[in-house]
Amino acid sequence: MLKKYHSSTLSKLILLVSIFFIGIFSLIIIHLFFLDLMERLDNKTKNQKAKIQIGEYIVNDLYKIRSDFYELATTATNKKGRELIARRLEERINDIKEALHILENGGTLKRVIRLNIAGHNHTTKIINYKKDNNESFSLEAIDLRPKLEQLLQMTEHLQNLLDIASEYRNNNDHKKFTEFIRNITRYYKSTPAFFIRITENTRRLLYEGENTLATLEYTIQEEKQQYQRLEILLIIVIILLVLILAYIIGTQINKNSKDLIKLNNELQKKMLQLKIQEEATRGILDGQPNMVVVSNGTEMIDANSALIDFFDGYHSFNDFKEEHACICDFFQKMNDDDFLEDKDYDGLRWYEYIIENPNKMHKVAMKNLSGLHFFTITAKRKVLEKENFIIIISLNDITNEISVQKELEQLNDNLENIIDYKTKELQELNENLEKKVQKEVEKNRQKDKRMIQQSRFAALGEMIGNIAHQWRQPLSAISSTASSMQLQLQLKLTNEEEIEKSYKTIISYVEFLTHTIEDFRNFFKEDKQKVEYEILEVLKKTLNITDAAYKDRNIQVILNKKQEYFKSFGFPNELSQVFLNILNNAKDAITNNKINYPIVQINIYEEENLNIIEILDNAGGINQEIIDKIFDPYFTTKHQSQGTGIGLYMSKEIIEKHMNGILKVENRTLIEKDNKQQGACFIISLPKI
């Protein structure tokens, strides 16, 4: 009954909606049809206006032609000027011919209009005219063509007269020049009538077009009003039809709705009763501590919440049922006759076997994420109406009981043996582990010592070279000063003041050498513990060590710093060794790549809680294929005689393990005086205090 009412109401609603859509579609079609008619009428008016605009351009061109014609004899004083005006006259006549051709055949007229505005000297006016096949071409327009040809002949004749007069004037033949001037004046007096006639023809052409336009606009306005009245009438008729049909169908829908509401109220009462019964049944089912499953013998129908609680990953019974039709999907094979499996038992399925053997204790094993669980299982068959039946399966978790039982048995059987075995095993494990840890720690300690020693030996080689560079100039200066003083003494050309001055010079060089030795000695002095130090001071001492080697290779060092103090906490001598390794690598790369204008740029700045030191050269950068390997031990791009491959490895170890910092490298572009060069940039990040 309810289905019948629902079907009838739905059909009437569909019919009502369809009528509304048909009505709206009809209104749209009618409106578009009349819009098209209006647009066609407006196009007729636009076409006639275009015709008038073309006529106005013809009149303006005629005025300009008349002005140019008179200008030909009055203002042009040489032949070149007259030819220029004659060409302009010919262009204007051709423009009029083009306009007449468009009026006769239809087309597009383009005219350039001069604006005399800064940055926008001219604009182009475009007029589209479509020739109506039913419209006859004006007689005035037809009469205009021969007059234009006549005007060209008049211009040519006038130009010949002016050329002859100009020739007489150039030959100083004043008599004939005066006579030709009179002839030209008489000729000009005969031209106004010609221009008046040709202008009147064009004005009649405009007048005819304006009258036609006025008549056409009046006719179009009348037709528009008729179309609008007809459109309104059709719209009213369609709206009335739609409203009448909607009222009839709406009345029937209202009647069906009342019947449906009555039936729906009765249905809701029955549904509420069923829901109460279902909730009571569900409460009883979920209140069972055992896992309860209801099946029809083929698939599961329902189950209590204990099933969902046991199997992880399912939110409801429906989610579980979508993947598994039977609880037996989870039965595990145990090689024990007391445990059931999903198999045939003498022609019986597992639940039938349970029903046929009610006095026997049946067990199953199932897994979830927490592990293997054991259950006792029972099955009962309940017959419903006709041939329908349900199977009620109950599973009781006995995992804890079995586990406790097994543990007690094992403890009773070999408790003492287990304790002895475990104790001995732990003792051996502790002894072996301690020995292994000590052995590995000692290996790593020896390895680090060897690495540091190799790194210091490598640095020592570089330092010896730097000492040679540092001492070369002071020793040479001491030698020169002593030789000069000895020679002056031999020649008796000196006095005590000059000797004193020479002694002071030698002493200053000796102090410089002593200071250099002290710097090198401090460099190799091992830091005993971490101290607070100033990064810029450590960097400047390192730069003093490399200064001579850099100057010898003309390497310019640029130091960019945003402040004077950058404090950190760590081992300053080890940091100096890192600086020296990077600066020496930059020097070697610049030397090997033969850079013409070598630069090493050092940037120091703060960023959040870090001091950032960037050392950038312009030696071409590091090959991308090996840039990730340069901090590996014993990896080097230098010749075997020049590098050991441990300098950068130890630098990274010092910064990251000893100084709690970060050392990384990237290729970067160095910009100096608009000159861009690629190079390697080593970035050291140290904690600031």
Side-chain angles (χ1 to χ4, degrees):
M1 189 71 169
L2 185 63
K3 186 176 181 182
K4 180 181 177 182
Y5 274 110
H6 182 268
S7 177
S8 175
T9 303
L10 182 62
S11 300
K12 289 181 175 60
L13 282 172
I14 292 172
L15 179 60
L16 180 61
V17 172
S18 300
I19 289 171
F20 273 110
F21 274 113
I22 291 170
I24 293 171
F25 183 75
S26 301
L27 291 175
I28 293 172
I29 294 297
I30 290 171
H31 184 65
L32 291 175
F33 174 75
F34 281 104
L35 280 179
D36 183 64
L37 290 177
M38 298 288 187
E39 186 176 2
R40 290 182 183 180
L41 294 175
D42 289 337
N43 286 337
K44 288 183 180 180
T45 305
K46 290 179 182 178
N47 202 49
Q48 192 62 31
K49 289 180 179 179
K51 180 179 178 181
I52 293 172
Q53 284 181 332
I54 293 173
E56 289 174 350
Y57 276 120
I58 292 173
V59 171
N60 289 334
D61 287 339
L62 286 173
Y63 281 123
K64 291 177 182 178
I65 288 171
R66 182 175 183 179
S67 175
D68 290 339
F69 185 82
Y70 286 114
E71 183 183 359
L72 187 64
T74 57
T75 61
T77 58
N78 54 53
K79 185 175 182 180
K80 187 175 181 180
R82 291 193 295 274
E83 288 176 352
L84 181 64
I85 295 172
R87 281 197 301 272
R88 194 165 64 203
L89 279 167
E90 186 177 357
E91 288 174 0
R92 296 192 194 281
I93 292 170
N94 289 333
D95 290 341
I96 294 174
K97 287 181 179 180
E98 180 188 1
L100 291 173
H101 177 76
I102 291 171
L103 288 175
E104 185 177 2
N105 301 301
T108 301
L109 180 68
K110 295 182 180 180
R111 286 296 177 92
V112 176
I113 301 173
R114 302 186 186 280
L115 300 176
N116 197 22
I117 299 174
H120 194 60
N121 296 327
H122 64 274
T123 184
T124 302
K125 178 74 173 178
I126 300 175
I127 303 172
N128 294 310
Y129 176 73
K130 185 177 180 182
K131 180 69 172 64
D132 191 349
N133 294 328
N134 298 325
E135 182 182 2
S136 60
F137 194 61
S138 175
L139 293 175
E140 283 75 16
I142 295 172
D143 185 55
L144 202 58
R145 291 185 184 278
K147 285 184 170 54
L148 292 174
E149 296 298 331
Q150 183 181 350
L151 180 60
L152 284 173
Q153 294 174 2
M154 290 169 59
T155 303
E156 185 177 358
H157 178 66
L158 177 61
Q159 193 172 6
N160 290 333
L161 291 175
L162 290 171
D163 289 339
I164 294 171
S166 178
E167 185 178 350
Y168 285 145
R169 185 181 60 187
N170 293 334
N171 293 332
N172 295 322
D173 192 343
H174 299 290
K175 183 178 180 181
K176 290 185 178 182
F177 174 76
T178 304
E179 183 181 350
F180 258 86
I181 290 299
R182 291 195 195 99
N183 291 336
I184 292 169
T185 303
R186 284 194 296 272
Y187 183 79
Y188 262 108
K189 288 180 180 180
S190 66
T191 57
F194 169 81
F195 283 108
I196 290 170
R197 286 195 302 275
I198 194 170
T199 305
E200 286 176 349
N201 285 349
T202 309
R203 286 176 178 171
R204 283 195 293 272
L205 177 64
L206 285 175
Y207 177 76
E208 178 186 338
E210 290 172 352
N211 287 339
T212 303
L213 177 61
T215 304
L216 182 61
E217 286 179 339
Y218 178 79
T219 305
I220 287 171
Q221 186 64 27
E222 289 291 324
E223 289 180 1
K224 281 185 176 181
Q225 291 176 357
Q226 292 178 4
Y227 289 152
Q228 289 172 352
R229 287 193 291 268
L230 181 59
E231 181 181 3
I232 292 169
L233 180 61
L234 289 174
I235 289 171
I236 291 171
V237 171
I238 290 172
I239 292 174
L240 287 174
L241 286 174
V242 170
L243 291 175
I244 292 168
L245 291 173
Y247 177 76
I248 295 170
I249 296 171
T251 304
Q252 295 177 354
I253 291 173
N254 186 45
K255 183 177 178 300
N256 289 345
S257 296
K258 290 179 179 178
D259 294 335
L260 281 171
I261 291 170
K262 184 178 179 181
L263 291 172
N264 188 51
N265 290 335
E266 294 177 0
L267 180 62
Q268 284 182 352
K269 290 179 181 179
K270 292 181 179 180
M271 291 292 291
L272 182 60
Q273 293 174 358
L274 288 173
K275 186 177 181 181
I276 292 171
Q277 293 177 1
E278 183 182 351
E279 288 178 352
T281 305
R282 170 57 60 184
I284 294 170
L285 194 63
D286 289 339
Q288 299 296 319
N290 299 342
M291 198 182 300
V292 180
V293 179
V294 181
S295 173
N296 60 7
T298 304
E299 63 179 0
M300 292 183 292
I301 300 173
D302 200 357
N304 65 348
S305 58
L307 176 77
I308 306 303
D309 294 338
F310 179 75
F311 293 106
D312 303 289
Y314 301 99
H315 299 289
S316 65
F317 172 72
N318 291 329
D319 293 342
F320 183 83
K321 188 179 176 182
E322 286 181 1
E323 297 184 11
H324 304 283
C326 180
I327 189 69
C328 59
D329 292 347
F330 294 92
F331 290 177
Q332 301 293 315
K333 188 174 182 179
M334 298 299 294
N335 295 322
D336 189 339
D337 293 338
D338 290 339
F339 286 87
L340 295 177
E341 302 174 15
D342 184 17
K343 68 178 183 178
D344 184 84
Y345 290 91
D346 298 327
L348 299 175
R349 297 195 63 188
W350 61 272
Y351 65 86
E352 294 173 334
Y353 177 74
I354 296 173
I355 294 171
E356 292 295 327
N357 298 276
N359 297 324
K360 184 178 179 181
M361 180 180 285
H362 303 281
K363 300 176 185 178
V364 294
M366 296 190 295
K367 277 185 177 181
N368 65 4
L369 292 179
S370 63
L372 186 66
H373 290 254
F374 305 100
F375 298 85
T376 58
I377 183 168
T378 60
K380 292 182 180 181
R381 180 188 180 99
K382 183 177 181 180
V383 179
L384 304 177
E385 59 183 13
K386 295 183 181 181
E387 297 180 355
N388 295 328
F389 66 91
I390 59 173
I391 307 296
I392 301 173
I393 302 160
S394 178
L395 297 101
N396 183 28
D397 193 339
I398 58 171
T399 305
N400 290 334
E401 290 84 344
I402 292 177
S403 177
V404 170
Q405 184 179 355
K406 287 183 178 180
E407 287 179 2
L408 287 173
E409 289 175 357
Q410 291 175 357
L411 287 172
N412 290 331
D413 290 341
N414 55 5
L415 181 60
E416 186 175 352
N417 293 334
I418 291 173
I419 292 174
D420 292 340
Y421 175 76
K422 292 294 182 182
T423 303
K424 184 178 179 181
E425 188 180 30
L426 285 172
Q427 288 176 349
E428 291 177 355
L429 182 62
N430 287 333
E431 290 176 0
N432 292 334
L433 183 61
E434 186 177 356
K435 291 178 180 179
K436 287 181 179 179
V437 169
Q438 290 177 353
K439 186 176 180 181
E440 291 300 322
V441 169
E442 185 62 26
K443 283 183 179 179
N444 289 332
R445 190 175 297 161
Q446 293 299 325
K447 179 183 174 182
D448 288 344
K449 285 183 178 180
R450 288 195 300 270
M451 286 287 189
I452 293 172
Q453 192 66 21
Q454 288 177 356
S455 177
R456 289 192 174 272
F457 281 140
L460 180 60
E462 294 286 348
M463 295 293 285
I464 291 171
N466 288 326
I467 289 172
H469 282 293
Q470 292 284 69
W471 281 20
R472 183 181 300 163
Q473 194 270 338
L475 288 174
S476 177
I478 290 172
S479 177
S480 298
T481 304
S483 299
S484 175
M485 186 172 61
Q486 182 181 13
L487 182 61
Q488 289 179 359
L489 287 172
Q490 289 176 353
L491 297 176
K492 298 180 180 181
L493 298 175
T494 184
N495 51 41
E496 290 185 4
E497 183 180 349
E498 289 180 355
I499 292 172
E500 185 69 23
K501 183 178 179 182
S502 298
Y503 282 152
K504 287 181 180 180
T505 301
I506 292 172
I507 289 170
S508 66
Y509 283 127
V510 170
E511 288 177 352
F512 174 79
L513 294 176
T514 303
H515 181 70
T516 302
I517 286 295
E518 187 65 21
D519 285 344
F520 285 109
R521 189 178 64 83
N522 289 334
F523 177 80
F524 283 101
K525 186 185 296 181
E526 185 176 357
D527 291 317
K528 299 297 182 182
Q529 58 185 6
K530 289 185 177 182
V531 296
E532 180 181 326
Y533 64 92
E534 214 290 310
I535 296 175
L536 200 58
E537 182 180 342
V538 175
L539 177 63
K540 288 180 179 179
K541 287 182 178 180
T542 310
L543 288 174
N544 288 337
I545 294 172
T546 60
D547 181 63
Y550 268 49
K551 285 182 179 179
D552 189 54
R553 291 166 177 79
N554 295 320
I555 300 174
Q556 180 186 0
V557 178
I558 300 173
L559 178 60
N560 298 322
K561 59 183 188 299
K562 294 187 177 180
Q563 58 194 54
E564 292 297 329
Y565 298 99
F566 299 89
K567 292 188 177 295
S568 186
F569 191 74
F571 302 106
N573 284 343
E574 291 190 0
L575 179 61
S576 181
Q577 184 177 348
V578 173
F579 286 155
L580 185 64
N581 285 337
I582 296 173
L583 291 171
N584 283 335
N585 281 349
K587 177 196 68 177
D588 294 340
I590 288 170
T591 303
N592 293 336
N593 294 329
K594 299 179 179 178
I595 305 301
N596 291 331
Y597 301 101
I599 296 173
V600 172
Q601 180 176 298
I602 303 173
N603 305 317
I604 306 181
Y605 58 93
E606 290 183 351
E607 188 175 275
E608 296 180 354
N609 295 324
L610 295 174
N611 293 307
I612 310 297
I613 306 102
E614 297 177 345
I615 303 177
L616 171 63
D617 60 53
N618 63 342
I622 303 170
N623 192 329
Q624 289 295 331
E625 295 180 358
I626 65 169
I627 195 169
D628 294 331
K629 301 178 182 179
I630 66 168
F631 292 115
D632 293 348
Y634 303 109
F635 179 83
T636 180
T637 58
K638 304 176 185 178
H639 190 270
Q640 188 173 1
S641 63
Q642 293 179 320
T644 62
I646 63 170
L648 290 178
Y649 167 74
M650 286 308 303
S651 296
K652 192 171 183 66
E653 290 286 306
I654 289 169
I655 293 298
E656 297 187 355
K657 290 186 178 181
H658 297 183
M659 314 284 280
N660 297 324
I662 299 172
L663 173 59
K664 59 183 179 179
V665 66
E666 63 184 34
N667 286 325
R668 191 181 292 182
T669 301
L670 190 149
I671 303 174
E672 181 66 22
K673 296 181 180 179
D674 298 329
N675 186 22
K676 296 182 179 180
Q677 290 179 297
Q678 192 75 4
C681 180
F682 287 85
I683 305 167
I684 302 171
S685 302
L686 295 172
K688 71 176 184 179
I689 58 174

